[in-house]
Amino acid sequence: MGDTLSGLTSAGVLVALCGGAVSSLREQIAARPAVDAAVLPGGLTAAAVALSLAAGLTALFARLGPVSATPAAAAWWLPLPAGRRGLLRGELRRAVGLAVAAALAVGVPVVLAWSRTPAGVLAGLAAGALLPGAAVGVLVVRQAGGGGRWVPPVAGAVTALALVGPAVAGCVVAGLGVDLPDVAGGWLPAPVATGLLGGLLVVAVLCLALADRRLADLSAGALRASGETAQYATASVFSLDTRELGRALGTTVRRPRRPLAWRWVRRPWQAVVAGDLAVLARSPWRWGQLAAGAALPVLAARTEGLAELPALVAVTVALGWGTAATSLGEPSRRAVAAPAADRALPLGGAAVVWARAVVPVAVLAGVCGVSALLVGQGAGAPAAWLALGAATAPAWAGAAVRAGYRPDLDWSGPVLASPMGAVPVGVSSTLVRGPDVGLLGTAPVALALLLGAVPWWLVGAALLWSLALGALAVGTARPPD
């Protein structure tokens, strides 16, 4: 009886302390100061996000063809004595239809943000349907000429610039205290808009007509290669294997122009770190991912209407920093795909995994720190925001390593009934390995966004919490047997 009363008393004291802390936090959140650093109009941010998505879709289409033939189809009808142009017209129509549908899905929010009249909305949707048609035509022409390898890097650069540019501009404008005019509701005069749509229609028709004529010039090797990539990506999507999907759509590391001298490498773990740095330095795509990941929460924090929603800014923080962590997990994913190189090192498997966390921690400390500093612009205490962002780096680095070393999907486990059908429990738990640690590590940042300020006790708590999560994630990651 005495032990029971003692336990109940301790639990009551703990509940009272937690209740007092929650009540205090609620009062602080209610007294959160108004956001005065949100200077970007919502229409401008919507256009920037839509441009980045359009560039990403263009890179995806260029990676998949856009016209391709599956290995089975290529083996059946490519050797036939028939015109290749007629056989590939169906593939071209499917590519154009898919591009138009994706563009309309992305463009509807942007059109509604920029125009408030029925005529303006219809004109915007018409332009959104014509632009992807012209883009697919140009991609097919470049595919027939064999010169489309530059499209994915250029589209990736456009994606990064579309997010980084407005975010930096918003910070500069907020620092200068200048108000930007609201461009929503403004639209071109009817004659000008009609003329532009007519010109765009002519360009789209010409591009598709030229693409139709160049279908006969597509080589069997290029069609078969694109078809194998599309089949690989499709199988990865249906098997819910995001790691294989990344391998199917991934880009190759740039060949070095000159050898790098790693004079500081003396020990085996330093060789692992040097290899990870080489992977990062020779992949411009991953630099773009880091920049876009840092800019995405800043863009939300500088946008009118979004900055007043701390929960939404916290979601963009998780998305952006998760993107940056994913770019740094490539060495871990490669180690799982080809473990022979790691086994040749005079290091144990656990030591190699710990060495793989060095580069993500160092890079993410800078990326998250700068991103948090810009997110907290105007809220005071910039050093505290910088420290809070850097303190979450161990958690996201552990997430990158944990996701990279996650085991293969297990489809033999128990299933869970859902409205969409049976869902394997083991597959779901494997897919969230990595992001779960990152999301938990972002909780202090979300709390700071709700408070509108960063007390130093929160920085200390965030650092301890992040170190514990990162150590748990790296310690539980195991290389393949």
Side-chain angles (χ1 to χ4, degrees):
M1 181 62 73
D3 295 339
T4 303
L5 291 176
S6 177
L8 291 175
T9 303
S10 301
V13 172
L14 182 61
V15 170
L17 290 176
C18 292
V22 171
S23 177
S24 176
L25 288 175
R26 187 175 60 182
E27 293 176 358
Q28 295 182 36
I29 291 173
R32 181 175 180 270
V35 178
D36 56 354
V39 294
L40 294 179
L44 178 62
T45 301
V49 174
L51 177 60
S52 65
L53 293 177
L57 291 175
T58 302
L60 178 62
F61 270 90
R63 186 74 177 88
L64 298 178
V67 176
S68 63
T70 61
W76 179 69
W77 55 257
L78 277 183
L80 294 178
R84 191 168 296 173
R85 178 183 175 187
L87 295 173
L88 291 175
R89 277 177 174 167
E91 290 290 331
L92 179 60
R93 286 194 293 268
R94 277 190 287 272
V96 172
L98 183 60
V100 170
L104 290 179
V106 173
V108 166
V110 181
V111 172
L112 293 178
W114 277 75
S115 178
R116 295 164 185 165
T117 62
V121 172
L122 291 177
L125 293 179
L130 293 174
L131 281 174
V136 171
V138 172
L139 288 177
V140 172
V141 173
R142 299 306 304 171
Q143 183 184 5
R149 295 180 179 177
W150 54 270
V151 175
V154 171
V158 171
T159 302
L161 290 176
L163 296 177
V164 174
V168 174
C171 293
V172 173
V173 171
L176 296 176
V178 179
D179 294 331
L180 292 179
D182 187 6
V183 296
W187 198 252
L188 297 175
V192 177
T194 304
L196 289 178
L197 284 178
L200 189 56
L201 175 62
V202 172
V203 170
V205 171
L206 289 178
C207 290
L208 291 177
L210 184 58
D212 181 73
R213 292 178 60 85
R214 296 298 302 273
L215 287 177
D217 300 333
L218 291 172
S219 65
L223 289 172
R224 192 176 291 109
S226 300
E228 291 174 352
T229 303
Q231 191 176 40
Y232 185 12
T234 304
S236 302
V237 170
F238 282 109
S239 61
L240 301 178
D241 197 340
T242 56
R243 187 166 54 190
E244 290 297 331
L245 180 62
R247 289 170 184 163
L249 303 178
T251 57
T252 57
V253 177
R254 180 174 58 85
R255 185 186 296 274
R257 296 179 180 176
R258 59 180 182 275
L260 298 176
W262 303 103
R263 295 186 178 86
W264 52 271
V265 177
R266 295 288 188 274
R267 300 179 183 278
W269 69 269
Q270 294 174 341
V272 176
V273 174
D276 296 350
L277 284 175
V279 171
L280 177 63
R282 293 169 179 170
S283 179
W285 189 271
R286 310 203 184 286
W287 288 102
Q289 282 184 278
L290 291 174
L296 183 60
V298 180
L299 186 61
R302 296 284 80 81
T303 302
E304 297 175 348
L306 300 181
E308 288 78 10
L309 303 173
L312 182 59
V313 178
V315 171
T316 59
V317 168
L319 290 176
W321 295 0
T323 302
T326 301
S327 68
L328 296 171
E330 176 63 18
S332 300
R333 294 190 290 271
R334 291 187 179 196
V336 174
D342 286 352
R343 290 172 181 167
L345 293 170
L347 280 176
V352 173
V353 174
W354 279 100
R356 283 264 143 70
V358 174
V359 173
V361 168
V363 176
L364 287 174
V367 171
C368 298
V370 173
S371 181
L373 172 65
L374 296 179
V375 167
Q377 183 182 11
W385 282 99
L386 176 64
L388 180 63
T392 61
W396 280 109
V401 175
R402 178 179 169 87
Y405 278 99
R406 73 184 183 197
D408 294 331
L409 298 178
D410 183 13
W411 292 88
S412 61
V415 297
L416 179 66
S418 71
M420 298 177 292
V423 177
V425 179
V427 172
S428 305
S429 62
T430 304
L431 287 176
V432 299
R433 283 179 66 90
D436 51 355
V437 175
L439 290 176
L440 291 175
T442 313
V445 180
L447 180 58
L449 290 171
L450 290 173
L451 294 174
V454 182
W456 281 103
W457 64 264
L458 184 59
V459 177
L463 180 59
L464 295 177
W465 176 241
S466 180
L467 287 174
L469 290 174
L472 177 64
V474 178
T476 54
R478 290 288 181 270
D481 296 331

